Amino acid sequence: MNRRKIVLMYNPVSGHARFKYKLDEITEICQKNGAVLIPYRTEKENPELPDFLRDVDPDGVIAAGGDGTLHHAVDLLLKNDINKPVGIIGSGTSNDFATYLGVHNRLKEYVGKIAAGTASIRTVDAGCANGHHFINVASAGMLTGVPHKVNTKLKNTFGKLAYYVGGLKEVTKFKPLPLTIEAGGQVYHEDTFLVVLINSDAVGSFRHVVGGVAVDDGLLDMLLVRWSSPSELMGLTASLAGGKGIGGAKNVMHIQSDKFVITADSGEVIESDLDGEAGPKLPLTITAKQGALKFFCL
């Protein structure tokens, strides 16, 4: 009997660092549905993982962790031309893409279908920023560095609240960020607070941030928040929290394109963020890669 093989890439420290206690449950689900589960404990760098996946030749890969864990899995698969369907077990501080796909917090049903070979498969786009792939979001601006400055222990204790606390500590340092953006044959010069390129409409634990977003249209959606007063910025946050979206809001620019070039006009070193992980420094050339990945869905 040829059993399905599933490689489980799990981050032992993401979220509350409790995922390892789910390993037995996931193993049981796979065994009962006729699959062999092969756990792989990820670290900050995993140079041997591509060869491991080629040797095992699994029927699919499940990434267990937060958005950052999924980011590293996606980048590794695409850079090494490993074409395997991907599953997500969201166990991190933020699990935006798993939420978008509707698989978050549905462990038994989801893993059971993956193991049994009955999960549906959805082809989705990916983004690429200066050669680094991302699945959900790329950003630059005043809040971009906050997640990287939040202590892991603090994130595990307070979850998303830790990001907001970190953001408050940075408020006094905020200043306009002048950017030049090329997209769709147009050039824009804007003093910005934040620029975000999204693949899905679930970003920063908010849903439906803007209308017209699709993960399979070959396009990325740019939301640029122009520099504005604190009260206006708070209003945007309130709209997001209320699920209203900000696509048509004052001081928000929404552009769809398959390619963006973003340059910092000030000459200072500006870092980007890809799926919650530190990304390359500006200038950025960001492209959409249509149909780059396949994901297990319910």
Side-chain angles (χ1 to χ4, degrees), residues 203-238:
V203 180
S205 301
F206 297 115
R207 291 299 312 275
H208 312 302
V209 296
V210 65
V213 179
V215 296
D216 55 2
D217 59 359
L219 302 172
L220 295 170
D221 288 68
M222 184 192 77
L223 288 172
L224 182 146
V225 181
R226 297 185 181 92
W227 186 255
S228 49
S229 69
S231 62
E232 289 173 320
L233 293 174
M234 289 296 291
L236 292 177
T237 303

